[in-house]
Amino acid sequence: MLNPSPTSKTSEMSKTLKFRNVLITGASGGIGKALAEGFAAKGANLLLVARNESALKTLAAALEKKNPKIKAHVLALDLSKSDAASKLKHHCLEQNFSVDTLVNNAGYGVWGQFAELSLQEQLDCMQVNVTTLVQLTHEFIPMLKENASKGGASLMNVASTVAYQAMPTFAIYAASKSFVLSFTRALHHELKPFGIAVSTLVPGATESNFIERAGLQHTAEKAKKVTMTAESVAQIGIRGLEKNQIEAIAGGLNRMMAGATRFLPKSVLEHAAESIYRK
Ligand SMILES: NC(=O)c1ccc[n+]([C@@H]2O[C@H](COP(=O)([O-])OP(=O)(O)OC[C@H]3O[C@@H](n4cnc5c(N)ncnc54)[C@H](OP(=O)(O)O)[C@@H]3O)[C@@H](O)[C@H]2O)c1
């Protein structure tokens, strides 16, 4: 259905949204793990995806122990592979796991000068942060549409506050998150008539393995003062999805900074970013 009849589904949606079968990418740690805990506490069955199978299994066992009414399944998958999204869809069909909530959380950054970093490393990052996210979204929208009429369906994509500006020495990562933000905002409008809630979770600095994976250990001390817990960020994301918030920016300081990017000159913001990330 290309042009579904207009409805007041947005307000209905938030009242009826139930998380039944939630697929979360990047659930082996950090924000994804905290999202899994948050959705499990709401009674959702889960499919947890990442590469680290043992971390996923430990989390799944802990979640099932805490809430014996839910099932937490795991799938070890490398989302930097171009066929990852179709494999994941196939897995869900095979396992009869009908996804009503898709959470595209897996992602990471690579810090350094664009020209000096390996091209392949940066293309892999784009594959995980952008291409696989798009492929997964496309693969699962038909399932979300089916489930929207059976109690609600939703999509959460995880962007970042770096989405609001260019970031010298974090060029690919910031650009990838600008893509996620813009893409998700567009889908929010496109999928509203189908009764699918679509929200972008926009975290700022958050406790996780992110800094280490990105090679940003030298910023850890500076970031500490403004770092939020993964649990509080996940709660903001889940509430944002329940309210069908187009952007759920985590925390007052991050909301203020995001707002400031609308009126501060770009060159000022870009110089500031460069000095924050400099070694
Ligand atoms: N922490 C921050 O300060 C911050 C700020 C803004 C936005 N974010 C965003 O929040 C999201 C979660 O990051 P995090 O902070 O929780 O970092 P994290 O602790 O490093 O978690 C990243 C997750 O993504 C998964 N992942 C990475 N590469 C993957 C691959 N090739 N295939 C499958 N899974 C992969 C990791 O699992 P495996 O390693 O087991 O594969 C892990 O579960 C990311 O999209 C990140 O960009 C984070």
Side-chain angles (χ1 to χ4, degrees):
M1 185 169 40
L2 191 60
N3 289 310
S5 57
T7 65
S8 59
K9 285 244 169 85
T10 327
S11 49
E12 280 168 34
M13 197 150 57
S14 39
K15 272 185 239 145
T16 55
L17 196 58
K18 294 245 181 331
F19 304 116
R20 288 152 294 149
N21 290 325
V22 180
L23 164 53
I24 306 174
T25 67
S28 62
I31 297 170
K33 177 172 180 255
L35 284 166
E37 290 163 348
F39 283 112
K42 289 193 170 280
N45 298 310
L46 302 165
L47 175 56
L48 309 173
V49 180
R51 292 167 305 172
N52 186 337
E53 189 170 24
S54 72
L56 292 177
K57 281 184 171 166
T58 305
L59 175 61
L63 295 176
E64 286 183 354
K65 193 170 171 201
K66 200 163 177 195
N67 184 354
K69 287 190 190 141
I70 66 149
K71 276 264 157 248
H73 311 270
V74 308
L75 180 68
L77 193 64
D78 185 349
L79 298 172
S80 71
K81 305 288 181 220
S82 58
D83 61 350
S86 61
K87 274 193 179 158
L88 187 42
K89 169 81 174 290
H90 196 72
H91 177 84
C92 289
L93 293 174
E94 241 177 31
Q95 298 297 314
N96 215 9
F97 190 86
S98 180
V99 175
D100 56 69
T101 299
L102 171 64
V103 180
N104 283 308
N105 161 75
Y108 64 98
V110 191
W111 175 79
Q113 298 277 333
F114 168 73
E116 285 165 21
L117 290 167
S118 117
L119 178 60
Q120 192 54 52
E121 198 182 355
Q122 297 183 86
L123 293 176
D124 287 348
C125 175
M126 286 169 66
Q127 178 73 40
V128 175
N129 293 9
V130 175
T131 310
T132 297
L133 178 145
V134 168
Q135 289 169 323
L136 281 171
T137 305
H138 201 265
E139 290 280 10
F140 281 95
I141 281 177
M143 225 182 248
L144 298 185
K145 283 182 179 172
E146 250 176 52
N147 281 313
S149 56
K150 299 182 194 161
S154 54
L155 166 69
M156 180 198 296
N157 288 337
V158 179
S160 164
T161 47
V162 304
Y164 299 107
Q165 66 167 100
M167 292 271 172
T169 70
F170 223 14
I172 291 293
Y173 179 66
S176 75
K177 291 301 182 178
S178 298
F179 178 96
V180 172
L181 181 60
S182 170
F183 172 65
T184 313
R185 286 192 65 101
L187 290 191
H188 174 91
H189 300 288
E190 286 188 19
L191 296 179
K192 193 181 277 182
F194 295 93
I196 301 172
V198 179
S199 181
T200 325
L201 171 58
V202 186
T206 308
E207 278 169 15
S208 74
N209 195 40
F210 179 83
I211 280 194
E212 200 168 316
R213 173 110 199 249
L216 273 169
Q217 289 89 336
H218 59 283
T219 65
E221 204 46 47
K222 269 188 258 174
K224 240 184 204 165
K225 293 184 203 106
V226 293
T227 296
M228 294 175 69
T229 64
E231 289 71 23
S232 58
V233 170
Q235 285 308 318
I236 288 165
I238 293 171
R239 272 201 304 277
L241 197 53
E242 286 174 326
K243 292 185 193 157
N244 195 21
Q245 254 178 359
I246 193 161
E247 280 177 39
I249 303 176
L253 185 63
N254 289 322
R255 278 199 299 280
M256 199 179 78
M257 299 297 281
T261 60
R262 286 206 295 269
F263 56 81
L264 284 174
K266 285 183 178 161
S267 59
V268 170
L269 294 165
E270 288 156 11
H271 284 304
E274 202 168 18
S275 67
I276 289 168
Y277 289 128
R278 192 180 298 133
K279 244 186 190 160

